[in-house]
Amino acid sequence: MDELLNAAWAVAFYGCLGRETVKKIITEALDGLKHDICAGARLSLPVAELAVLRAESLLRVRSSSTLKPVVNATGVVVYTNLGRAPLADEALRAVYEVSGAYSTLEYSLDKGGRGGRNSHVEWLICRMTGAEAALAVNNNAAAVFLALSATAAGREVIVSCGELVEIGDSFRIPEILTFSGAKMKAVGCTNSTNIDDYRTAITEATAVLLKVHPSNYRIDGFVKSTSREELAALASSRDLVFMEDLGSGLLCQLDVPFANREHSVRDCLKAGSGIVTFSGDKLLGGPQIGVIAGSKPLIDKMKRHQLLRALRVDKMTLAAFEATLRIYLSGRQGEIPVIKMIEADKSELLKKARSLCRMLKGSTANLKLPHLKPGDVAVSVVETRDAVGGGAYPTDSLPGFGVEIRASSVRVETLAAGLRTARVPVIAGIRDNSLILHVRTLLPGDEKLIAASFTEVLCTIT
Ligand SMILES: *Cc1c(COP(=O)(O)O)cnc(C)c1O
């Protein structure tokens, strides 16, 4: 241990980790190695060399941030695992300004005392959606949870069998309903539910008719669901709440051919939804947040609910959300990265793909790579199918362009892994046996980062 701890490569990490932590990390690496040896692993190198390699590699991992920016070259605009929506510059500036100073988070400058955290965004949400009242919480799962807890705890919620969806790998409608204290009553069939199914299921105990956006799947063939208008009329005639979990919250009309497959929050409220819940970081293009919008008496009840304290939004998120909503307010939603990427036109994407292709060719042209033969690596512009993501338009694709990388002597998975683990990670798509860099989801400056990472990979793969 002393030998390792005093070696130059270990001492180099003292600055950022401290000697004690370096020692802990080396111990951890050695323990891992011992464990492998005891488990009968075949060693590729002498133990002493392996120990150094393992320790150094673990020190490198632990000395840099693991939550860091990556280049999204997958063509999926709202990519949950990659952090969903990249924020607009104005939202970033707002976060920076509000977080590095004291702020009006819960302070009213007029009264000189307590103010409302929700007040910064409520009127903006109402303005953009036509809602009477609105409440922002941690995310849409929290919005659904709070809305159901406040309106249906101890009572029944009627929902169509075709809408009992699972989103991501943890949010399931039946479970969230149960957690909220409500009793779920599923009606109809997987592919068909009509208004009479809801009507006959209503009892004294019913509180809510719930509609859920199917988000990540679509049923083909014979499908029948009940319209918002019918559900709203039924709910109102029986004094029930009609609630809708919209998932991706669309605030404006999108300029894409299949735009009318998704309804905006405003459309849903106009059609009679009493309460609508949606995410801030999907189609809306803002930070992770959940919005509950709709009827004032119901929202007021949620504002008084004990759960709100546990689900409330922090100042950085609120700052980013307010700034994002203000971009909509001023009619400049085309400047929001998510909207800009979805609406990008083909000629613009083709230009971007050609420029990326040129850059990749240029940056690798003069490399001396003994392990690669000339012509081993080919880059070319190709057409792609991109996606909106985030549960919106699950079966529609956006025609786009990208750069295909084919390397005859390197497996495509090796290339993809190399790009993922480069100094600036690049997440690419794979099609057939080649790597595709979709340009739709690239942000300004990403082309240069890709070129650098690509060069790094070509220099290090063997
Ligand atoms: C995405 C989604 C959710 C979960 O939203 P989060 O913001 O990730 O909590 C819930 N319901 C639907 C229909 C969704 O699409």
Side-chain angles (χ1 to χ4, degrees), residues 80 84 138-144 163 165-168 171 173 211-216 244-249 277-282 287-291 390-392:
T80 293
R84 292 196 181 154
N138 180 59
N139 59 7
N140 187 35
V144 175
E163 296 174 359
V165 295
E166 175 181 278
I167 287 132
F171 180 87
I173 290 294
K211 187 173 179 67
V212 182
H213 190 290
S215 287
N216 47 14
E244 181 161 7
D245 175 14
L246 202 52
S248 218
T277 64
F278 56 94
S279 297
D281 54 353
K282 290 184 176 174
Q288 177 195 304
I289 213 166
V291 176

Side-chain angles (χ1 to χ4, degrees), residues 219-233:
I219 304 174
D220 272 337
F222 176 75
V223 183
K224 193 167 176 299
S225 64
T226 313
S227 75
R228 268 183 201 94
E229 288 79 359
E230 281 179 294
L231 283 167

Side-chain angles (χ1 to χ4, degrees), residues 160-380:
S160 160
C161 284
E163 296 174 359
L164 299 177
V165 295
E166 175 181 278
I167 287 132
D169 57 358
S170 53
F171 180 87
R172 292 174 151 193
I173 290 294
E175 262 96 335
I176 213 100
L177 256 158
T178 307
F179 279 131
S180 72
K183 188 162 169 282
M184 182 180 85
K185 206 170 198 183
V187 297
C189 300
T190 303
N191 61 329
S192 167
T193 306
N194 59 48
I195 193 70
D196 284 330
D197 293 326
Y198 290 89
R199 199 192 320 274
T200 52
I202 296 174
T203 67
E204 282 292 294
T206 308
V208 172
L209 304 185
L210 177 67
K211 187 173 179 67
V212 182
H213 190 290
S215 287
N216 47 14
Y217 82 105
R218 183 151 291 151
I219 304 174
D220 272 337
F222 176 75
V223 183
K224 193 167 176 299
S225 64
T226 313
S227 75
R228 268 183 201 94
E229 288 79 359
E230 281 179 294
L231 283 167
L234 176 60
S236 135
S237 73
R238 305 293 289 267
D239 218 9
L240 305 173
V241 175
F242 172 37
M243 184 187 302
E244 181 161 7
D245 175 14
L246 202 52
S248 218
L250 187 59
L251 293 190
C252 62
Q253 185 71 28
L254 285 178
D255 184 17
V256 289
F258 46 77
N260 57 8
R261 296 241 191 120
E262 296 287 344
H263 295 276
S264 70
V265 178
R266 186 180 288 276
D267 290 342
C268 297
L269 289 169
K270 213 190 243 165
S273 298
I275 290 285
V276 173
T277 64
F278 56 94
S279 297
D281 54 353
K282 290 184 176 174
L283 271 183
L284 197 150
Q288 177 195 304
I289 213 166
V291 176
I292 310 169
S295 131
K296 186 163 182 332
L298 293 174
I299 303 270
D300 281 346
K301 210 164 155 191
M302 295 172 207
K303 286 179 180 169
R304 290 190 303 268
H305 201 285
Q306 282 298 313
L307 254 179
L308 180 60
R309 178 65 188 233
L311 309 176
R312 74 181 189 184
V313 185
D314 90 305
K315 63 187 175 207
M316 292 190 268
T317 308
L318 273 174
F321 194 47
E322 181 182 3
T324 307
L325 290 172
R326 283 184 185 281
I327 301 177
Y328 279 100
L329 187 69
S330 61
R332 293 177 293 119
Q333 56 267 15
E335 293 173 20
I336 292 174
V338 162
I339 309 278
K340 202 194 297 194
M341 288 174 184
I342 292 170
E343 293 184 340
D345 68 48
K346 278 193 83 173
S347 63
E348 191 185 324
L349 294 172
L350 178 57
K351 227 164 79 189
K352 244 174 137 174
R354 284 185 174 145
S355 140
L356 176 63
C357 190
R358 260 197 312 275
M359 202 179 277
L360 293 184
K361 278 182 179 159
S363 64
T364 53
N366 299 322
L367 292 177
K368 296 243 174 331
L369 301 167
H371 53 284
L372 294 175
K373 291 188 292 293
D376 244 3
V377 178
V379 288
S380 56

Side-chain angles (χ1 to χ4, degrees), residues 2 31 56 88 116 201 241 316 364 376 396 404 433 459 461:
D2 276 345
D31 286 348
E56 198 178 355
V241 175
M316 292 190 268
T364 53
D376 244 3
D396 298 297
E404 180 186 58
N433 214 21
C459 294
I461 51 176

Side-chain angles (χ1 to χ4, degrees), residues 113-131:
R114 191 176 184 76
R117 179 182 290 255
N118 193 54
S119 65
H120 307 292
V121 293
E122 182 170 19
W123 79 271
L124 282 162
I125 300 167
C126 293
R127 176 71 198 87
M128 296 319 304
T129 62

